[in-house]
Amino acid sequence: MRGQRVTVRIAELTPTGSGVSKELGMPVFIDMVAPGDLAEVELFDVRKDFARGKLVNLLEPSPERAEPPCPLFKVCGGCQWQHLSYEAQLHAKTGIVRQAVQHMGGLDPALVRDTLAAQPLHYRNKVQFPVRNPQNSQRILAGYFKKDSHELVNVKFCPIQPEVLDRMLAVSKEVLERHKIWAYDEGTGKGTLRHINARTSFDSGEVLVTLVINMGADSRDEFNRSPLGKRLTEAADEIMAEEPSIVGVCVNLNTQAGNRILGDQTYLLAGKSSIEECLKSSRDDYPEKLRQGLKFPLSSTSFFQVNSTQAVTLLEVVFDQARELLHGVDQPLIVDAFSGVGAIAFWLSPLAKEIVAIEEHVLAVEDGRRTAQNNKIDNVRFVPGTVESVLPDLLSQGRRPHLIVVDPPRKGLSPTVVQALLESGSNIIYVSCNPSTLARDLKILTGGCGPDQSNGATIGYKTRQIQPVDLFPQTYHVETVTTLERLTTDGSIGNMEEA
């Protein structure tokens, strides 16, 4: 019953980061616990099939616990697993993927390999801090929200971001306070500053700052003429002068109520409007272009992985699997679906005659085309539009890719895309950020079948391997790269030799 205190042993961690005990005859979910903990728990939400509780007293700590590197960990909602050793985090993420593919996907959990480790701290290249003013004060507070709330936790330093972003935040707050740029109040809709955003290049160390403000303007000239625009421009110059790593300051205008962070208008206040990140491999068996590195221009609104170093690890997994699937194929055609700015497409470009990158966000397509020009890559073609419309259209033209890479959002693949994949007969690499929707889609792909246009037979897919990659240490989030091979009705696996 609600309010009851019970003693439980934590069995494992769930895909949402909580621990779970099943000793009471139903699952009891508790935050801030580790597998192996013996804990006194107070139940606050009791349902027919499960209950939720809060940790009251840790009776026997698990050996998998660690001292959190952040003093704000217990109140800040930015991270969930700083109380776990990094080895325990990796083990838990592997277990989460294995549970999903076994119980939801009906697949052998042995297909899931051990999660690839990352640098556990100081890895984020992008931050977005909401801001507040304390009651009866004009001091700017910035940080993250407490879990399941809009109560702000003021952050002075954050161990999952590089120190240069700590300095950026301190300088930005100080200068904005000096210029009387006060925080936006989401309750009243009044005030000016909504967010302080920034991204940094791990290659150059440069920082680009974006101030999100509650202001509307029909044009850049109107913004420049306004008193607020003039104050923000002066503040931007001072921010850059006080922190040399900051090479540009932009302003984004957003007057919409709600949780949307960025509005549609972004203007440069001072310095450069973009920075450049370089992703490169250190592997000797890779093409020279990947060892030299691919350079990506990043603006305030660019789509890009927040962990530059581990993004290379993920891309290397994709490249290795693509190289195996395309072995012996002459002049391969690859489709990169949900391509974003084209990081996967560009990374695979040495393997293909042509890559079609499908992306619905216009700004990402524009960034991708600039990146192709800057890196002198001429075999990647961006097609703006949804995968649901572009991929079936491509197939209807008789163009059959040798490989399709899909990297969908957390909701996974729509039924239309799944059907197009089955009809394509192409080998598939599925990059996922959600083990649950991955497992759901794998169950359909490995259990379904479609026509094989080359010989009139039917085809399905066999899951060859699932490789988790840790892009977000200290959190429960995990990326996976799954390799699916085209399987004909006689059980054989084959590569297509024509497109």
Side-chain angles (χ1 to χ4, degrees):
M1 77 188 315
R2 183 176 179 182
Q4 180 183 3
R5 291 194 176 187
V6 294
T7 298
V8 296
R9 180 78 69 178
I10 306 305
E12 59 193 7
L13 297 175
T14 71
T16 58
S18 301
V20 61
S21 172
K22 301 177 182 177
E23 297 177 331
L24 301 182
M26 64 177 176
V28 179
F29 300 99
I30 311 105
D31 290 338
M32 299 290 185
V33 292
D37 279 346
L38 183 66
E40 182 183 5
V41 173
E42 181 177 311
L43 304 180
F44 64 85
D45 183 10
V46 180
R47 310 286 181 92
K48 180 180 179 181
D49 300 321
F50 70 92
R52 300 186 187 277
K54 64 179 180 180
L55 178 64
V56 175
N57 189 20
L58 189 59
L59 304 176
E60 290 180 14
S62 164
E64 296 188 350
R65 281 188 167 269
E67 186 66 26
C70 178
L72 299 176
F73 167 64
K74 290 185 178 180
V75 294
C76 178
C79 297
Q80 302 85 42
W81 281 0
Q82 285 192 22
H83 64 296
L84 300 176
S85 70
Y86 189 51
E87 291 74 16
Q89 294 181 35
L90 294 174
H91 180 74
K93 292 184 181 188
T94 302
I96 285 170
V97 178
R98 285 178 176 160
Q99 288 179 49
V101 301
Q102 180 180 20
H103 298 306
M104 300 178 64
L107 298 174
D108 184 354
L111 290 167
V112 181
R113 299 186 172 187
D114 291 340
T115 302
L116 296 179
Q119 174 183 313
L121 298 173
H122 308 297
Y123 64 84
R124 286 192 68 96
N125 61 34
K126 179 183 178 182
V127 292
Q128 299 181 135
F129 292 116
V131 300
R132 297 285 188 273
N133 292 134
Q135 190 172 7
N136 302 320
S137 171
Q138 300 294 353
R139 189 165 67 92
I140 293 176
L141 306 181
Y144 295 108
F145 293 127
K146 289 184 178 181
K147 185 177 180 181
D148 300 325
S149 81
H150 265 208
E151 185 178 347
L152 190 73
V153 176
N154 189 46
V155 171
K156 292 186 177 179
F157 76 93
C158 176
I160 66 169
Q161 69 190 33
E163 292 181 2
V164 67
L165 294 182
D166 295 332
R167 300 197 303 271
M168 175 282 304
L169 184 59
V171 166
S172 298
K173 290 196 296 184
E174 179 184 342
V175 171
L176 292 169
E177 287 174 3
R178 202 157 61 223
H179 284 267
K180 297 181 171 51
I181 309 295
W182 309 134
Y184 171 77
D185 186 322
E186 63 180 1
T188 64
K190 297 179 180 180
T192 300
L193 183 67
R194 299 176 66 130
H195 280 79
I196 298 174
N197 297 354
R199 64 193 329 155
T200 185
S201 164
F202 276 56
D203 181 55
S204 67
E206 294 181 339
V207 176
L208 176 66
V209 176
T210 302
L211 307 175
V212 184
I213 65 168
N214 178 39
M215 176 184 176
D218 291 333
S219 67
R220 174 63 186 266
D221 287 342
E222 181 182 341
F223 171 80
N224 289 342
R225 290 194 305 267
S226 69
L228 179 57
K230 293 175 182 177
R231 283 160 53 209
L232 284 166
T233 301
E234 293 172 0
D237 289 331
E238 291 181 25
I239 289 171
M240 289 181 58
E242 294 189 20
E243 175 50 57
S245 63
I246 298 175
V247 298
V249 180
C250 298
V251 64
N252 178 271
L253 310 186
N254 181 9
T255 59
Q256 298 185 41
N259 296 327
R260 181 180 176 184
I261 294 177
L262 293 175
D264 296 328
Q265 296 166 280
T266 302
Y267 302 133
L268 178 65
L269 293 175
K272 302 194 299 185
S273 61
S274 66
I275 56 177
E276 187 175 82
E277 183 63 288
C278 182
L279 301 182
K280 67 174 68 175
S281 176
S282 59
R283 295 211 357 210
D284 293 336
D285 62 326
Y286 269 33
E288 183 178 358
K289 180 173 275 302
L290 302 185
R291 287 185 283 113
Q292 289 179 344
L294 301 176
K295 297 180 178 180
F296 293 83
L298 302 178
S299 66
S300 296
T301 57
S302 293
F303 296 83
F304 201 70
Q305 284 283 8
V306 301
N307 188 337
S308 299
T309 304
Q310 195 69 345
V312 172
T313 301
L314 184 143
L315 290 169
E316 288 177 341
V317 174
V318 173
F319 185 92
D320 291 344
Q321 291 304 300
R323 184 162 55 180
E324 287 191 32
L325 291 172
L326 296 171
H327 180 70
V329 177
D330 184 39
Q331 297 186 323
L333 169 65
I334 298 175
V335 167
D336 178 13
F338 311 95
S339 68
V341 298
I344 291 175
F346 297 134
W347 201 262
L348 296 182
S349 62
L351 297 176
K353 177 185 178 182
E354 180 186 1
I355 298 182
V356 177
I358 305 171
E359 174 54 49
E360 64 178 302
H361 295 286
V362 175
L363 292 177
V365 171
E366 292 174 356
D367 282 345
R369 288 170 174 167
R370 281 194 296 270
T371 301
Q373 291 178 342
N374 294 345
N375 289 277
K376 299 180 180 178
I377 296 174
D378 58 9
N379 65 336
V380 175
R381 177 170 64 91
F382 280 85
V383 179
T386 65
V387 177
E388 285 79 0
S389 61
V390 176
L391 182 57
D393 185 57
L394 184 72
L395 298 175
S396 70
Q397 298 171 20
R399 306 209 64 197
R400 302 180 60 218
H402 300 89
L403 172 66
I404 299 177
V405 182
V406 292
D407 186 3
R410 289 190 63 80
K411 64 183 179 180
L413 301 174
S414 69
T416 301
V417 174
V418 170
Q419 185 60 36
L421 293 174
L422 288 169
E423 293 177 358
S424 73
S426 308
N427 288 322
I428 300 168
I429 294 177
Y430 189 150
V431 181
S432 170
C433 61
N434 186 337
S436 298
T437 54
L438 169 70
R440 177 202 68 197
D441 294 340
L442 291 182
K443 184 176 184 178
I444 300 171
L445 289 168
T446 56
C449 60
D452 183 345
Q453 299 172 6
S454 62
N455 58 19
T458 59
I459 62 95
Y461 287 95
K462 176 181 179 181
T463 302
R464 186 163 80 176
Q465 71 167 47
I466 303 171
Q467 178 62 71
V469 182
D470 188 16
L471 265 76
F472 308 100
Q474 316 305 330
T475 79
Y476 58 78
H477 299 290
V478 58
E479 297 270 328
T480 53
V481 180
T482 301
T483 308
L484 292 147
E485 291 180 306
R486 172 177 177 263
L487 185 66
T488 61
T489 46
D490 61 5
S492 64
I493 295 172
N495 281 319
M496 294 176 294
E497 296 185 355
E498 57 184 51

